[in-house]
Amino acid sequence: MGNLALGDGRVYVQSMTNVDTKDVEATVLQIERLATVGCEIVRVAAYDLEAANALKRIKERISIPLVADIHYDAKIAIRAIEAGVDKIRINPGNIPSKALKEVVAAAKEHGVAIRVGANSGSLKREFLEHYREKHVALAESVLEHVRALERLGFEDIVVSAKSSDVTETVEANRYVRNKVDYPLHVGLTEAGYGSQAIVKSAIAIGTLLMEGIGETIRVSLSADPVEEVRVAKWILGSLHLRKVPDLVACPTCARAEIDVMKLAEKVIALLDKFDKPIKVAVMGCVVNGIGEGADADIGVAGTKSGAVLMNKGRIVAQVPQDEIFQVLRREIENWEDWRA
Ligand code: SF4
């Protein structure tokens, strides 16, 4: 898809713009911000013909693959394909069969992939009545869309089965993966808000990725989409699927000699902009901090007068209280990954 090969073993990070697609400037600006933090595929809503028309100008100005999100109208889908998008996301169930044929023909002609999927909130009643378990109804609904495309001789397909419920999403994706081999786009839909949505998304996406299920991911948040990309990268980093910086910080207790929370907050903000797989430890005291931070490339552990600076658990310097962050920042910025 575009310059990416889904299924090449890499899990790609996807997000979606939330500005008006007709506002080309705002959309391009948001896509650039997303790409800067690590978004590799971006979806935009093409909700009418005018929005679809804007896609050509957007596509010309961005460097990551563009996906057009279309709900009902085949004309919009064809316009988006002609605009040069890399993938369209449609629901074949909402498009009459003659019009679907035309969409598929256009996608074939232009080499555009089609993502089909279903969300548990919009399942047809017959699926819910026919299949006792909701995750099966969700998965079978997705598979019906897949078969509709296959009957038209189209196989450049990406599949998604989403729910706001973690177990339902996991089970539905397992079911789909057992039935078809197309790349899967995984994530929750309407996940919730803030930490709650992050936890749910991390569990669902993490569980699936650990089973080798998922070629692209989206962490769907009610927030600036840049946040979605950050969280997605932390998920991939946690599973060692992507080299990203890591922070080890103790929860603090009565032994803490430094303000771990404040320092950890500053360090995570710094690491967020750092594109190397460094592991940094921020520990409250030397009693447990040295041993527990021994895995980190660089770390500090609080002392009565400030902190000790550590390198793989070895103490390499004493740092006064008011210089801890500056010293840590200098060490992080100068750090070279000798394993690279
Ligand atoms: S590292 Fe020290 S301050 Fe932090 S939790 Fe452990 S004992 Fe407490």
Side-chain angles (χ1 to χ4, degrees), residues 250-253 255-256 283-285 288-289 292:
C250 81
T252 79
C253 69
R255 292 194 190 91
M283 313 302 279
C285 75
N288 289 332
E292 286 173 15

Side-chain angles (χ1 to χ4, degrees), residues 151-204:
R151 279 195 295 273
L152 295 170
F154 192 84
E155 294 189 343
D156 191 1
I157 301 170
V158 178
V159 183
S160 67
K162 295 186 175 186
S163 160
S164 58
D165 182 88
V166 172
T167 50
E168 207 167 275
T169 299
V170 170
E171 297 287 356
N173 278 277
R174 283 177 181 152
Y175 189 101
V176 172
R177 176 45 45 96
N178 276 333
K179 301 277 182 184
V180 293
D181 232 3
Y182 298 113
L184 278 166
H185 169 68
V186 302
L188 295 181
T189 183
E190 289 105 32
Y193 184 73
S195 313
Q196 179 228 11
I198 292 172
V199 169
K200 285 170 68 181
S201 296
I203 295 172

Side-chain angles (χ1 to χ4, degrees), residues 299 308-318 331:
V308 290
L309 180 67
M310 305 180 288
N311 179 307
K312 287 279 180 198
R314 266 184 323 110
I315 296 174
V316 291
Q318 302 283 336
E331 292 292 322

